[in-house]
Amino acid sequence: MRPAQRPRIRRRWIIVGAIILIAFISISSIVRFYTDLLWFHELGFAKVFWKIVWTRVGIGVIGGVLAGIMIFANLEVARRAAPRYRFVTAGQDLTEQYRSAFRPYARLANIVMAAVVAFFTGLSTSATWQRYLLWKNAVPFGRQAPKPFGHDIAFYVFSIPFQRSVLSWLFGILVVSALLAGVAHLFNGSIQPETNRVRVATIVKAHLSVLFGLIALVKAWAYRLDAYDLVFSSRGVGTGASYTDVHVQRRALQLLIIIAVVAAVIFFVNVFRFRGWILPGAAIGLWLFVSILLGGIVPAAVQRFEVKPNESQKERPYIARNITATRDAFDLNKINVKTFTPQNTLPASTVAANQGTIRNVRVWDPTVLLPTYQRLQAIRSYYTFNDVDIDRYKINGQPTQVMLSGREVDATKLDPGSRNWVNTRLTYTHGYGFVANPANAQTSEGLPNFLVQDLPPNGPKELGAKQPGLYYGEELSAGSYVVTKTKQPEIDYPKGEQQVITTNYNGNGGIALSNMARRLAFAVRFGDTDLLVSSFITPKSRIMMRRNIVERVQAAAPFLQYDSDPYLVESGGKMYWIMDGYTMTDRYPYSQRMDLGAQGIGNLGGVANYMRNSVKVVIDAYNGTTKFYVIDPTDPMIETYQKTFPQLFTPTSKMPSDIAAHLRYPEDLFTVQALQYRAYHILDPQRLYSREDIWDVANDPVKSTGNTSIRMVPYYVIMKLPGETKEEFVLMLPFTPTGKPNLNGWMAARMDPGHYGQMVAFSFPRGAQIEGPENISARINQNDQISQQFTLWDQAGSTVIHGNILVIPIGHTLLYVEPIYLAAQEESHALPELRRVITVVGNGSIGFEPTFAQSLGDVVNGTVPQLQQPTATPSQPSAPSTSSSNVSSLLQSALSHFNNADNALKNGDLATYQKENEAGQADVQKAQQASTP
């Protein structure tokens, strides 16, 4: 082979490779588009899909084509401006040769350059589809920004972001046009470098003057938007335009608008009159000088020397604006403020009058309960529990706080020899049922007293799921899929040691693989040829994708943000997942911005200064049917989304009443509101400026370590709010003064039907010394009996686990409750047992007993009424895969040893205590090993 042929062969292979790569990318994009369309059809949201697609295509094409036309027009002007006669010197002959050789291809080069710019501009422009749709369908907030800014809030939330997108597109195209035009003029010879100067043709000056004039006008537009965006300034005490922003910065921007317009006029006049750069240069110099002086130096000087020495007076009206806007944006105005005067004792009469509250005091921490569920109720290695949810159900006619978790499937945990395509995609397709226990009940062994347990699930009629298959859930990995209605039977649930019960899916979830084209498309999407060639798949088979509920709702409605804690609900014999959807923005004028990621609030990220829980998403765990119920139709942002995507949202009036009875006020929203309420319970600007009454969320003494303080998380309780006549399900959180451990109030959100969304804050009298969780934790640790018991447990090889301290108002008394768990130090044997419940009231009384009822009796003045716990099944938890009687006898033996150890401890016989405690731990470990499948 001749050497000259080798570059040609390389070029051919490069071209072939490029063609294959482009074809692969194109095919992948087409397949993804087609399969996504099928998925949206499955959900009934095809119109949503097409609206997004056509909007993206429309604004992408418009933005790209206009950009291409502008680039091509400017390059053509440069090409046509090329001088026909050139001043050729000895050193320029080679350059002229290149120009002469390139001239026939100049037009084609301009077309290619314009096409490239148009393509990439179209791609970036299409990404602004959401801003365009919100601007087009904007619903007014009905509230205006304070003067001198004016305009409805919607102008700042919807209009300005879209204007910014258009401005950025136009500015970018003009700058690129100017740069390319300058390069083209230089290459074409219209700009001639000489010994002491650069010779510029007149037409070049005119061309560039027009472009620079347009850039100046666009910059004037940007200054106008900057003036409006001062309502988000952080210069003052809080978010919003401050004294300096209103009286100096805003006027400076107005002056810059005038200067930019004047500069544009000068550039345009320069096209016809001056055709030099002296006057435009002077205009740009003045522009830069004023921008630096009035835009930076003067405002900083005013802020430092005029405002700072008189800040409380100068900023007072702007702090008032900040207070009003923040309370509006985070819906703090709906909080009903009341006074709460705690008592130091807990009379028996108060306990008798609050039986519903007492009966539902939670002694099970979800994080502690999860490994117990996994060890005792997973049954098989491929079943898993993602987290434990808290909800309320009526058991035997009584409202009962219930801990609940779905038994989901995780095919990746199958034995490696069983982890083949048929098993992971066709056989192990779904989880089965759930596990539940009352929040306040335990067995004699310190384990949860299950309401629903085992396989098939055994529980009361109130929790009897007739369709227990979990095809959609939290634990399923994003991007995974299964195929149902195949010739291969699906594992429904195991029965005994060897037998399994099989089933065939009987729902309408998933996408029908009704023809080979669909099978081919999904095979390409998932890179899985088995989908195409498997004989188990029939035309009636259905492929389920996006089974992870978080991935599912984010794909259907990516413009909402979602709460970090979806929860499972049993309703009407079926199981549903409920997720909370939020509308959020950081563009509410004067409202205080919050960095959600820095505050560690769930999975929420970014900055926000407006937030509403406007949507409840309900996902059928069997069929995957997904409905977005609008829970707050007064929210202008969700009204805008409804106007944009009317097919996506469903009115709350169409939500089944049984599901509505299980709606919870979301933890993430409540946390955000509580954090804002720390300062914005103050209505007086002067008091907020002095920050003399700033609150804080009480610290969690269990999670806080050393100098690191961790705030308490909101917790659900069933309780009778002060002034109410019956118990209800609420979410609450206590407050302390900043930097102090004593309590000064608490806040609660109501959520039962008829009261959903109502909020109440109870403040304690000023000067009252009410102990907070950190005080109570210190008092517990200083108690001789308790500290001695902890020490002996540690010495005996057990790990003491402190549950969260809950502060629960009972009548007008604050009851502090902390559960204590024991677990083996070896992680593989860790099965936390509830061994003690600590109760404390304000008069110093401490209860430290095996059950909550016994502990409560130690701190109540008088005889405690007998508590009635909901029962449904035998309280002894068992794993069906092994002998229940064997496990039971081991646990009974362990209990006997632990009782002997307690008696020895009371008698001061530490040797016997350690011996009996070790024997009990050994029996517990044997029981755990016996319960492992």
Side-chain angles (χ1 to χ4, degrees):
M1 181 182 296
R2 288 178 294 182
Q5 291 180 324
R6 291 174 183 172
R8 295 180 183 176
I9 295 174
R10 291 196 194 101
R11 284 196 294 269
R12 290 173 185 172
W13 279 112
I14 291 172
I15 293 172
V16 171
I19 293 173
I20 292 174
L21 178 62
I22 293 173
F24 176 77
I25 294 174
S26 300
I27 291 173
S28 298
S29 299
I30 292 171
V31 164
R32 189 167 189 87
F33 176 88
Y34 174 61
T35 51
D36 277 343
L37 175 59
L38 293 176
W39 183 78
F40 273 90
H41 265 292
E42 175 206 349
L43 293 181
F45 300 151
K47 290 184 178 180
V48 174
F49 176 82
W50 283 116
K51 188 158 196 175
I52 294 175
V53 167
W54 288 124
T55 302
R56 297 191 67 159
V57 170
I59 61 177
V61 168
I62 292 173
V65 168
L66 289 178
I69 290 173
M70 291 177 65
I71 295 296
F72 179 73
N74 282 282
L75 290 176
E76 279 296 289
V77 169
R79 184 180 71 85
R80 292 173 181 272
R84 297 181 180 179
Y85 173 78
R86 295 179 176 81
F87 300 93
V88 182
T89 63
Q92 292 177 316
D93 291 342
L94 186 60
T95 303
E96 290 301 320
Q97 291 178 18
Y98 278 118
R99 287 172 178 160
S100 299
F102 178 75
R103 191 174 297 114
Y105 306 102
R107 185 179 178 85
L108 177 61
N110 292 346
I111 293 174
V112 171
M113 178 61 70
V116 171
V117 172
F119 176 76
F120 287 104
T121 303
L123 286 180
S124 63
T125 305
S126 68
T128 63
W129 63 271
Q130 186 175 338
R131 287 186 173 185
Y132 166 74
L133 287 176
L134 293 179
W135 166 76
K136 181 182 177 183
N137 300 283
V139 173
F141 277 63
R143 296 183 292 278
Q144 294 213 340
K147 293 180 179 181
F149 300 98
H151 291 286
D152 188 89
I153 304 297
F155 172 75
Y156 299 89
V157 175
F158 303 127
S159 180
I160 289 182
F162 177 65
Q163 290 187 55
R164 288 281 187 191
S165 296
V166 177
L167 187 149
S168 297
W169 171 86
L170 189 56
F171 185 81
I173 293 304
L174 289 172
V175 169
V176 171
S177 295
L179 291 174
L180 291 177
V183 172
H185 281 302
L186 179 64
F187 186 79
N188 290 336
S190 300
I191 301 176
Q192 288 283 346
E194 296 183 354
T195 304
N196 296 319
R197 63 192 179 97
V198 177
R199 188 172 187 172
V200 182
T202 302
I203 192 171
V204 176
K205 296 177 182 178
H207 185 195
L208 295 180
S209 291
V210 171
L211 290 175
F212 291 153
L214 292 174
I215 290 174
L217 287 179
V218 171
K219 190 60 181 174
W221 184 11
Y223 285 139
R224 177 179 179 271
L225 297 183
D226 289 343
Y228 283 119
D229 278 350
L230 288 175
V231 296
F232 310 115
S233 170
S234 58
R235 175 180 273 131
V237 176
T239 301
S242 64
Y243 176 91
T244 302
D245 293 317
V246 172
H247 292 88
V248 182
Q249 193 76 55
R250 179 171 169 272
R251 292 173 182 173
L253 289 170
Q254 289 173 336
L255 181 58
L256 287 172
I257 292 173
I258 295 172
I259 293 175
V261 172
V262 170
V265 171
I266 292 174
F267 276 116
F268 293 146
V269 171
N270 193 54
V271 174
F272 306 103
R273 296 287 299 270
F274 306 106
R275 297 185 179 177
W277 298 111
I278 296 178
L279 195 58
I284 292 176
L286 176 63
W287 187 355
L288 292 175
F289 174 76
V290 173
S291 177
I292 295 172
L293 180 65
L294 297 184
I297 297 176
V298 172
V302 171
Q303 181 71 19
R304 173 64 184 85
F305 297 107
E306 182 179 352
V307 176
K308 280 296 182 183
N310 310 284
E311 193 171 45
S312 62
Q313 177 189 359
K314 294 285 188 181
E315 297 290 3
R316 183 181 179 90
Y318 309 105
I319 296 174
R321 294 177 178 183
N322 174 256
I323 292 173
T324 300
T326 303
R327 289 178 64 87
D328 277 342
F330 290 96
D331 215 11
L332 303 183
N333 287 322
K334 71 178 182 181
I335 299 175
N336 185 13
V337 181
K338 299 182 179 182
T339 301
F340 184 90
T341 304
Q343 298 176 351
N344 287 327
T345 60
L346 181 58
S349 58
T350 300
V351 173
N354 292 272
Q355 276 287 287
T357 303
I358 296 296
R359 189 176 58 250
N360 286 286
V361 171
R362 177 164 61 85
V363 296
W364 287 104
D365 191 298
T367 58
V368 172
L369 195 56
L370 186 61
T372 302
Y373 277 12
Q374 191 66 40
R375 289 300 303 271
L376 296 181
Q377 287 296 313
I379 312 301
R380 291 290 188 269
S381 62
Y382 49 82
Y383 284 131
T384 186
F385 297 95
N386 182 66
D387 71 347
V388 178
D389 298 315
I390 303 174
D391 201 356
R392 72 285 201 193
Y393 291 84
K394 277 196 173 183
I395 308 296
N396 298 328
Q398 294 181 337
T400 304
Q401 188 170 198
V402 171
M403 319 291 287
L404 181 147
S405 185
R407 185 185 287 107
E408 300 188 53
V409 69
D410 185 358
T412 63
K413 294 182 179 178
L414 286 169
D415 180 86
S418 303
R419 214 176 296 158
N420 53 57
W421 185 83
V422 172
N423 280 341
T424 58
R425 302 301 185 187
L426 309 183
T427 306
Y428 294 89
T429 57
H430 60 281
Y432 200 85
F434 60 91
V435 177
N437 65 278
N440 188 256
Q442 69 197 81
T443 68
S444 57
E445 292 81 19
L447 298 173
N449 187 11
F450 290 114
L451 283 168
V452 179
Q453 62 177 330
D454 298 344
L455 288 174
N458 180 17
K461 61 181 180 179
E462 294 92 342
L463 293 171
K466 298 176 183 178
Q467 200 175 66
L470 289 173
Y471 285 83
Y472 299 84
E474 293 180 272
E475 186 66 20
L476 301 168
S477 59
S480 67
Y481 76 91
V482 296
V483 183
T484 60
K485 294 190 175 181
T486 66
K487 296 178 182 179
Q488 173 69 20
E490 303 171 43
I491 299 295
D492 210 19
Y493 61 89
K495 187 176 182 180
E497 293 288 348
Q498 303 295 330
Q499 185 181 3
V500 293
I501 305 300
T502 60
T503 187
N504 286 298
Y505 181 70
N506 194 34
N508 55 10
I511 302 163
L513 298 175
S514 53
N515 53 57
M516 287 302 295
R518 291 189 174 189
R519 292 178 64 172
L520 176 61
F522 283 105
V524 172
R525 176 172 184 137
F526 293 111
D528 196 338
T529 56
D530 289 321
L531 273 172
L532 194 60
V533 301
S534 175
S535 59
F536 289 113
I537 298 176
T538 73
K540 293 183 179 180
S541 298
R542 305 183 74 86
I543 184 169
M544 295 180 176
M545 58 183 278
R546 291 183 177 136
R547 299 193 301 142
N548 180 285
I549 57 174
V550 176
E551 178 192 19
R552 191 172 187 83
V553 297
Q554 287 177 340
F559 38 81
L560 298 176
Q561 291 210 44
Y562 299 93
D563 195 84
S564 58
D565 187 25
Y567 58 101
L568 187 64
V569 167
E570 189 282 329
S571 173
K574 300 182 66 176
M575 293 191 293
Y576 300 89
W577 295 99
I578 299 181
M579 292 185 65
D580 289 280
Y582 301 117
T583 53
M584 296 168 56
T585 182
D586 63 348
R587 298 194 56 80
Y588 195 100
Y590 275 99
S591 175
Q592 188 65 31
R593 285 177 165 174
M594 176 184 290
D595 188 335
L596 302 178
Q599 292 291 343
I601 301 173
N603 298 324
L604 301 178
V607 176
N609 68 351
Y610 175 93
M611 186 175 182
R612 289 288 189 278
N613 172 218
S614 298
V615 176
K616 300 288 187 181
V617 190
V618 179
I619 305 108
D620 188 316
Y622 188 76
N623 288 322
T625 304
T626 305
K627 290 188 177 295
F628 291 78
Y629 291 99
V630 176
I631 195 73
D632 184 5
T634 63
D635 171 24
M637 290 196 71
I638 202 61
E639 287 185 88
T640 300
Y641 284 123
Q642 279 185 285
K643 187 177 176 182
T644 306
F645 303 110
Q647 300 82 14
L648 180 64
F649 297 101
T650 303
T652 309
S653 58
K654 295 185 178 181
M655 178 185 289
S657 58
D658 194 42
I659 292 181
H662 289 281
L663 295 183
R664 302 190 318 189
Y665 200 87
E667 294 179 57
D668 290 349
L669 173 61
F670 188 80
T671 301
V672 170
Q673 290 176 312
L675 293 178
Q676 291 289 39
Y677 194 71
R678 294 176 302 176
Y680 291 94
H681 69 276
I682 302 173
L683 303 181
D684 178 33
Q686 182 60 45
R687 289 182 59 213
L688 181 60
Y689 175 80
S690 64
R691 305 187 73 80
E692 57 90 14
D693 191 27
I694 302 297
W695 295 359
D696 209 344
V697 174
N699 289 330
D700 186 338
V702 175
K703 297 179 181 178
S704 299
T705 56
N707 295 325
T708 303
S709 297
I710 306 297
R711 65 173 179 262
M712 293 181 69
V713 297
Y715 48 94
Y716 294 99
V717 295
I718 289 181
M719 62 172 291
K720 186 188 296 182
L721 289 170
E724 299 296 328
T725 58
K726 65 176 183 178
E727 282 78 14
E728 57 185 291
F729 198 50
V730 301
L731 181 64
M732 66 172 292
L733 197 59
F735 289 104
T736 66
T738 298
K740 296 182 179 180
N742 55 291
L743 295 182
N744 62 354
W746 54 282
M747 186 167 76
R750 308 172 73 181
M751 60 200 80
D752 282 354
H755 300 290
Y756 183 88
Q758 296 177 9
M759 301 184 71
V760 59
F762 293 90
S763 60
F764 301 159
R766 278 181 171 273
Q769 293 296 315
I770 310 300
E771 292 185 304
E774 289 179 299
N775 300 118
I776 296 301
S777 179
R779 188 195 293 184
I780 290 172
N781 292 332
Q782 292 168 4
N783 183 278
D784 291 338
Q785 178 191 0
I786 296 175
S787 60
Q788 185 181 25
Q789 181 68 70
F790 287 168
T791 301
L792 291 172
W793 278 332
D794 286 335
Q795 291 175 350
S798 298
T799 299
V800 178
I801 302 173
H802 293 258
N804 292 328
I805 295 179
L806 303 183
V807 185
I808 303 174
I810 311 292
H812 283 276
T813 302
L814 294 180
L815 176 67
Y816 305 83
V817 180
E818 181 182 20
I820 302 296
Y821 312 92
L822 282 188
Q825 288 184 347
E826 298 86 352
E827 186 176 348
S828 59
H829 297 299
L831 183 62
E833 307 164 3
L834 179 61
R835 293 302 304 273
R836 292 290 187 274
V837 178
I838 301 174
T839 56
V840 183
V841 294
N843 63 0
S845 300
I846 298 180
F848 183 64
E849 300 292 345
T851 68
F852 170 73
Q854 293 171 328
S855 183
L856 183 66
D858 291 346
V859 299
V860 170
N861 289 344
T863 304
V864 180
Q866 184 176 1
L867 301 182
Q868 296 181 356
Q869 296 295 343
T871 58
T873 58
S875 60
Q876 174 64 46
S878 61
S881 57
T882 188
S883 171
S884 297
S885 60
N886 185 36
V887 173
S888 178
S889 61
L890 287 169
L891 292 175
Q892 289 289 349
S893 175
L895 179 63
S896 177
H897 286 298
F898 287 136
N899 288 335
N900 292 337
D902 289 343
N903 292 331
L905 180 62
K906 292 177 181 178
N907 296 327
D909 187 353
L910 297 183
T912 302
Y913 168 81
Q914 183 170 354
K915 177 181 177 181
E916 291 292 334
N917 194 67
E918 289 176 352
Q921 290 288 349
D923 284 341
V924 170
Q925 291 182 11
K926 291 177 183 178
Q928 293 168 351
Q929 292 169 355
S931 66
T932 303

